[in-house]
Amino acid sequence: MLSENINNLKIWLKTNNISYIENYDLKNRSWIKAGGIIKTFITPDTEEKTIILIKYFLDNDIKFYVLGNLSNVLIRDGDIFTPIINLNKLSSIKQINKDGLHFSVQAGTPISRFAIFFTKRNIFGVQGLVGIPGNIGGGIYMNSSSYNSCISDFISSITVINEEGKLQTLSKNEANFAWRYSIFHDKPKVILKAEFRFSENCLKHNTNLNDTLTKIKNHRNTFQEKKYPNLGSTFATRNIYKDISRISFIFFSLYLLNKIFSLIFSKMKTDIFLIYRKKMIKIYSFCLKIDKKSRYNFSDRTLNCIVNNGSSSSNEAIKIIKNLQKKFKKTNRLENIILDDIK
């Protein structure tokens, strides 16, 4: 039955000139280099085709998922028969007015390109987003923020495909943005694009924003995981060490020690500080009873990032993250999206 549905879908996609990839292997394509094989990975190249596609799925009661750059998603092992829609081909940035302060940005636009685009136009406020691996659609969903820049800061409206397959425009207030949250967590809609409106105060004619961008890039490269495949921050938190200090006296003591020694070592050379961080992560790993033989471990740079040290199984990573959730006693909400029950 599943294979018959897939064949019917492929016929429909070809008839409507909507491109797709068969047997999309997550072990090669995802950021964590693990997971199963998506049987039908659909890549519409226009908003019109996307609307037709979503309407087709809704009218025929077909379950589907919309995923972006696969930089924040962990999908189970095995064959994935549920159609996956990817909007990476919808990646335009268009100026709306003549003053250069009002733009329309499609959902598939990489967040880093978004930050660089406006930096080149001397628009201040988005530089901290450079280096975030996701796309604008996912960034809006998560309300991504970094280095004092938040993606929702300059949003004026968001165009979505709603539950009835119709276009709908939401204001910034209607999106209910909060820390690592938007209304799309509770009311799934397909984000097509957003309008960003900057103020005159954002124009920094006498400031070299390229220097700011370079400093942020260098800081990311130094203090964030770059060596091993990963999905970035595992949990939505400002300070994971402080959050889990509530678990027990042991973790409270570790938090205090880490806070004191971090202040001391941060004043030393970067290499020494990074060695200190690595040692502290090992102590936390021991206290959290992380299996040393596992090919998934914490990053040497931070407790809030799981890295893949040579595994092709996402199920192994899913198990570790879910165990961490239990140990953390739900003090932290997951930032990674886990699709372990997808058909």
Side-chain angles (χ1 to χ4, degrees):
M1 186 65 180
L2 286 172
S3 59
E4 183 181 343
N5 289 341
I6 288 176
N7 288 333
N8 291 338
L9 173 59
K10 289 176 181 176
I11 292 170
W12 184 89
L13 291 170
K14 288 176 182 177
T15 302
N16 288 274
N17 194 30
I18 298 176
S19 58
Y20 66 93
I21 300 171
E22 294 185 70
N23 299 319
Y24 189 91
D25 194 343
L26 291 164
K27 288 187 283 292
N28 299 322
R29 308 273 192 152
S30 71
W31 279 66
I32 201 162
K33 301 301 181 200
I37 295 175
I38 299 171
K39 304 305 287 184
T40 316
F41 189 81
I42 308 169
T43 58
D45 56 4
T46 68
E47 292 178 18
E48 292 73 21
K49 289 180 182 179
T50 306
I51 295 167
I52 293 170
L53 177 62
I54 300 298
K55 193 74 167 61
Y56 171 80
F57 284 144
L58 293 174
D59 289 346
N60 291 277
D61 197 26
I62 298 173
K63 178 93 172 180
F64 66 94
Y65 282 96
V66 179
L67 300 177
N69 211 23
L70 298 175
S71 59
N72 192 39
V73 183
L74 196 55
I75 305 176
R76 68 164 175 84
D77 298 330
D79 289 338
I80 313 297
F81 294 96
T82 300
I84 301 297
I85 302 172
N86 176 270
L87 300 183
N88 279 3
K89 291 182 179 179
L90 304 185
S91 59
S92 71
I93 303 177
K94 294 181 179 179
Q95 184 172 318
I96 295 176
N97 61 357
K98 293 182 179 180
D99 65 9
L101 294 171
H102 192 190
F103 294 82
S104 175
V105 183
Q106 287 185 312
T109 305
I111 294 174
S112 277
R113 183 161 76 84
F114 169 87
I116 293 169
F117 178 92
F118 290 110
T119 297
K120 287 180 178 178
R121 283 155 181 78
N122 261 358
I123 293 177
F124 175 78
V126 298
Q127 286 66 43
L129 299 174
V130 73
I132 294 179
N135 292 344
I136 289 295
I140 292 171
Y141 176 88
M142 286 303 303
N143 193 20
S144 297
S145 61
S146 181
Y147 295 91
N148 298 316
S149 295
C150 183
I151 202 163
S152 63
D153 283 348
F154 305 104
I155 285 178
S156 59
S157 66
I158 305 160
T159 301
V160 302
I161 305 172
N162 65 19
E163 298 88 338
E164 297 176 352
K166 297 178 181 179
L167 283 179
Q168 181 181 3
T169 300
L170 301 177
S171 68
K172 179 177 179 176
N173 288 339
E174 288 175 313
N176 290 344
F177 287 116
W179 167 254
R180 295 290 192 269
Y181 172 82
S182 70
I183 195 174
F184 307 111
H185 284 236
D186 303 316
K187 294 184 178 180
K189 302 175 190 288
V190 178
I191 299 169
L192 273 184
K193 58 187 175 182
E195 289 190 11
F196 291 81
R197 191 185 296 273
F198 300 92
S199 69
E200 291 283 350
N201 292 333
C202 294
L203 289 174
K204 298 290 184 178
H205 297 294
N206 299 319
T207 305
N208 191 340
L209 295 181
N210 284 318
D211 285 349
T212 302
L213 204 70
T214 300
K215 287 177 183 177
I216 291 171
K217 283 182 178 179
N218 291 339
H219 192 273
R220 277 188 177 278
N221 287 332
T222 302
F223 294 102
Q224 297 185 10
E225 179 61 47
K226 294 294 180 185
K227 184 177 180 181
Y228 296 106
N230 67 89
L231 297 178
S233 298
T234 307
F235 296 95
T237 174
R238 290 180 172 88
N239 188 333
I240 193 169
Y241 305 95
K242 183 178 181 180
D243 290 343
I244 66 173
S245 68
R246 306 168 195 150
I247 296 175
S248 68
F249 178 75
I250 291 174
F251 287 101
F252 178 72
S253 301
L254 274 177
Y255 167 67
L256 292 179
L257 287 172
N258 188 30
K259 191 173 182 179
I260 293 168
F261 283 111
S262 289
L263 287 171
I264 295 170
F265 282 99
S266 63
K267 296 176 181 179
M268 300 182 183
K269 290 182 179 179
T270 300
D271 289 347
I272 296 175
F273 181 55
L274 291 176
I275 291 171
Y276 159 73
R277 272 198 175 185
K278 184 175 181 179
K279 297 291 185 183
M280 185 55 70
I281 293 296
K282 285 186 177 180
I283 294 171
Y284 269 98
S285 297
F286 175 79
C287 293
L288 288 166
K289 298 179 181 178
I290 299 296
D291 186 357
K292 291 182 180 179
K293 296 180 181 179
S294 173
R295 288 170 292 181
Y296 287 98
N297 304 100
F298 292 121
S299 165
D300 288 343
R301 307 296 172 92
T302 173
L303 193 67
N304 197 27
C305 179
I306 300 294
V307 299
N308 182 357
N309 193 13
S311 176
S312 61
S313 170
S314 63
N315 287 0
E316 186 181 348
I318 291 169
K319 183 179 178 181
I320 289 172
I321 291 172
K322 288 195 168 184
N323 283 337
L324 285 173
Q325 275 188 297
K326 291 178 182 177
K327 290 175 181 178
F328 292 175
K329 299 178 182 178
K330 297 184 178 179
T331 57
N332 296 95
R333 177 170 50 84
L334 270 181
E335 187 162 334
N336 290 161
I337 296 171
I338 293 179
L339 298 180
D340 56 341
D341 58 352
I342 188 172
K343 301 299 183 185

Coordinates of all heavy atoms in Angstrom, one line a residue, residues 264-296:
I264 N 38.2 32.1 35.7 CA 39.7 32.1 35.9 C 40.3 31.8 34.5 O 41.2 32.5 34.0 CB 40.1 31.1 36.9 CG1 39.6 31.5 38.3 CG2 41.6 30.9 36.9 CD1 39.8 30.5 39.4
F265 N 39.9 30.7 33.9 CA 40.5 30.2 32.6 C 40.2 31.1 31.4 O 40.9 31.2 30.5 CB 40.1 28.8 32.3 CG 40.9 27.8 33.2 CD1 40.3 27.2 34.3 CD2 42.1 27.4 32.8 CE1 41.0 26.3 35.1 CE2 42.8 26.5 33.6 CZ 42.3 25.9 34.8
S266 N 39.1 31.8 31.5 CA 38.7 32.7 30.4 C 39.7 33.9 30.2 O 39.8 34.5 29.2 CB 37.3 33.2 30.5 OG 37.2 34.1 31.7
K267 N 40.4 34.2 31.3 CA 41.4 35.2 31.2 C 42.8 34.8 30.7 O 43.7 35.6 30.5 CB 41.6 35.8 32.6 CG 40.3 36.5 33.1 CD 40.5 37.0 34.6 CE 39.2 37.7 35.1 NZ 39.3 38.1 36.5
M268 N 42.9 33.4 30.5 CA 44.1 32.9 30.0 C 44.0 32.8 28.4 O 43.0 33.2 27.8 CB 44.4 31.5 30.6 CG 44.5 31.6 32.1 SD 44.8 29.9 32.8 CE 44.9 30.3 34.6
K269 N 45.0 32.2 27.8 CA 45.0 32.0 26.4 C 43.8 31.1 26.0 O 43.4 30.2 26.7 CB 46.3 31.3 25.9 CG 47.5 32.2 26.1 CD 48.8 31.5 25.5 CE 50.0 32.5 25.6 NZ 51.2 31.8 25.2
T270 N 43.3 31.3 24.8 CA 42.2 30.6 24.3 C 42.4 29.1 24.3 O 41.5 28.3 24.7 CB 41.8 31.0 22.8 OG1 41.5 32.4 22.8 CG2 40.6 30.2 22.3
D271 N 43.6 28.6 23.9 CA 43.9 27.2 23.9 C 43.7 26.6 25.3 O 43.2 25.4 25.5 CB 45.3 26.9 23.4 CG 45.4 27.2 21.9 OD1 44.3 27.4 21.2 OD2 46.5 27.3 21.3
I272 N 44.2 27.3 26.3 CA 44.1 26.8 27.7 C 42.7 26.7 28.1 O 42.3 25.8 28.8 CB 45.0 27.7 28.6 CG1 46.5 27.6 28.2 CG2 44.8 27.3 30.1 CD1 47.3 28.5 29.0
F273 N 41.9 27.8 27.8 CA 40.5 27.8 28.1 C 39.7 26.6 27.5 O 38.9 26.0 28.1 CB 39.9 29.1 27.7 CG 38.4 29.3 28.1 CD1 38.0 29.1 29.4 CD2 37.5 29.6 27.1 CE1 36.7 29.2 29.7 CE2 36.2 29.7 27.4 CZ 35.7 29.5 28.7
L274 N 40.1 26.3 26.2 CA 39.4 25.2 25.5 C 39.8 23.9 26.2 O 38.9 22.9 26.2 CB 39.7 25.2 24.1 CG 39.1 26.4 23.3 CD1 39.6 26.4 21.8 CD2 37.6 26.4 23.3
I275 N 41.0 23.7 26.6 CA 41.4 22.5 27.3 C 40.6 22.3 28.6 O 40.2 21.2 28.9 CB 42.9 22.5 27.6 CG1 43.7 22.4 26.3 CG2 43.3 21.4 28.6 CD1 45.2 22.6 26.5
Y276 N 40.5 23.4 29.3 CA 39.6 23.4 30.5 C 38.2 23.0 30.2 O 37.6 22.1 30.9 CB 39.6 24.8 31.2 CG 38.4 24.9 32.1 CD1 38.4 24.3 33.4 CD2 37.3 25.7 31.8 CE1 37.3 24.3 34.2 CE2 36.2 25.8 32.6 CZ 36.2 25.1 33.8 OH 35.1 25.2 34.6
R277 N 37.6 23.5 29.2 CA 36.3 23.2 28.8 C 36.1 21.7 28.5 O 35.2 21.0 28.9 CB 35.8 24.0 27.6 CG 35.2 25.3 27.8 CD 34.4 25.8 26.6 NE 33.7 27.0 26.9 CZ 32.9 27.6 26.1 NH1 32.7 27.1 24.9 NH2 32.3 28.7 26.4
K278 N 37.1 21.2 27.8 CA 37.1 19.7 27.4 C 37.2 18.9 28.7 O 36.4 17.9 28.8 CB 38.3 19.4 26.5 CG 38.4 18.0 26.0 CD 39.5 17.8 25.1 CE 39.6 16.4 24.5 NZ 40.7 16.3 23.6
K279 N 38.0 19.2 29.7 CA 38.1 18.5 30.9 C 36.7 18.5 31.7 O 36.3 17.5 32.2 CB 39.2 19.1 31.8 CG 40.6 19.0 31.2 CD 41.1 17.5 31.2 CE 42.5 17.5 30.7 NZ 43.0 16.1 30.6
M280 N 36.1 19.7 31.7 CA 34.9 19.9 32.4 C 33.7 19.0 31.8 O 32.9 18.4 32.4 CB 34.5 21.3 32.5 CG 33.2 21.6 33.3 SD 33.3 21.0 35.0 CE 34.5 22.1 35.7
I281 N 33.7 19.0 30.4 CA 32.8 18.2 29.7 C 32.9 16.7 30.1 O 31.9 16.0 30.2 CB 32.9 18.4 28.2 CG1 32.5 19.8 27.8 CG2 32.0 17.3 27.4 CD1 31.1 20.1 28.0
K282 N 34.1 16.2 30.2 CA 34.4 14.8 30.6 C 33.8 14.5 32.0 O 33.3 13.5 32.3 CB 35.9 14.5 30.6 CG 36.4 14.4 29.1 CD 37.9 13.9 29.2 CE 38.4 13.7 27.7 NZ 39.8 13.3 27.7
I283 N 33.9 15.5 32.9 CA 33.4 15.3 34.2 C 31.9 15.3 34.2 O 31.2 14.4 34.8 CB 33.8 16.5 35.2 CG1 35.3 16.5 35.4 CG2 33.1 16.4 36.5 CD1 35.9 17.7 36.1
Y284 N 31.3 16.1 33.4 CA 29.8 16.1 33.3 C 29.4 14.8 32.6 O 28.4 14.2 33.0 CB 29.3 17.3 32.4 CG 29.0 18.5 33.2 CD1 29.9 19.6 33.4 CD2 27.7 18.6 33.8 CE1 29.6 20.7 34.1 CE2 27.4 19.8 34.6 CZ 28.3 20.8 34.7 OH 28.0 21.9 35.5
S285 N 30.1 14.3 31.6 CA 29.8 13.1 30.9 C 29.8 11.9 31.9 O 28.9 11.0 31.9 CB 30.8 12.8 29.8 OG 30.7 13.8 28.8
F286 N 30.8 11.9 32.8 CA 30.9 10.8 33.8 C 29.7 10.9 34.7 O 29.1 9.9 35.0 CB 32.2 11.0 34.6 CG 32.3 10.0 35.7 CD1 32.7 8.7 35.5 CD2 32.1 10.4 37.0 CE1 32.8 7.8 36.5 CE2 32.2 9.5 38.1 CZ 32.6 8.2 37.8
C287 N 29.4 12.1 35.2 CA 28.2 12.2 36.2 C 26.9 11.9 35.5 O 26.0 11.4 36.2 CB 28.2 13.6 36.7 SG 29.6 14.0 37.8
L288 N 26.8 12.1 34.2 CA 25.6 11.8 33.5 C 25.6 10.4 32.9 O 24.6 10.0 32.3 CB 25.4 12.8 32.3 CG 25.0 14.2 32.7 CD1 25.1 15.2 31.6 CD2 23.5 14.3 33.3
K289 N 26.6 9.7 33.2 CA 26.8 8.2 32.8 C 26.7 8.0 31.3 O 26.0 7.1 30.9 CB 25.7 7.4 33.6 CG 25.9 7.4 35.1 CD 24.9 6.6 35.8 CE 25.1 6.7 37.3 NZ 24.1 5.9 38.1
I290 N 27.3 8.9 30.6 CA 27.4 8.7 29.1 C 28.4 7.6 28.8 O 29.5 7.6 29.3 CB 27.8 10.0 28.4 CG1 26.8 11.1 28.8 CG2 27.9 9.8 26.9 CD1 25.4 10.9 28.2
D291 N 28.0 6.7 28.0 CA 28.8 5.5 27.7 C 30.0 6.0 26.9 O 29.9 6.6 25.8 CB 28.0 4.5 26.8 CG 28.8 3.2 26.5 OD1 29.9 3.1 26.9 OD2 28.2 2.3 25.9
K292 N 31.2 5.7 27.4 CA 32.5 6.1 26.7 C 32.6 5.4 25.3 O 33.3 6.0 24.4 CB 33.7 5.8 27.5 CG 33.8 6.6 28.8 CD 35.1 6.2 29.6 CE 35.2 7.0 30.9 NZ 36.4 6.6 31.6
K293 N 32.0 4.3 25.2 CA 32.1 3.5 23.9 C 31.1 4.0 22.8 O 31.2 3.6 21.7 CB 31.9 2.0 24.2 CG 33.0 1.4 25.1 CD 32.7 -0.1 25.3 CE 33.7 -0.7 26.2 NZ 33.5 -2.1 26.5
S294 N 30.2 4.8 23.2 CA 29.2 5.3 22.3 C 29.9 6.2 21.2 O 30.8 7.0 21.5 CB 28.1 6.1 23.0 OG 27.2 6.7 22.1
R295 N 29.4 6.2 20.0 CA 29.9 7.0 19.0 C 29.2 8.4 19.0 O 29.5 9.2 18.1 CB 29.7 6.3 17.6 CG 30.7 5.1 17.5 CD 30.4 4.3 16.3 NE 29.1 3.6 16.4 CZ 28.6 2.8 15.5 NH1 29.2 2.6 14.4 NH2 27.4 2.2 15.7
Y296 N 28.3 8.6 19.9 CA 27.7 9.9 20.1 C 28.1 10.4 21.5 O 28.0 9.7 22.5 CB 26.2 9.9 20.0 CG 25.7 9.7 18.6 CD1 25.3 8.5 18.1 CD2 25.6 10.8 17.7 CE1 24.8 8.3 16.9 CE2 25.1 10.6 16.5 CZ 24.7 9.4 16.0 OH 24.3 9.2 14.7

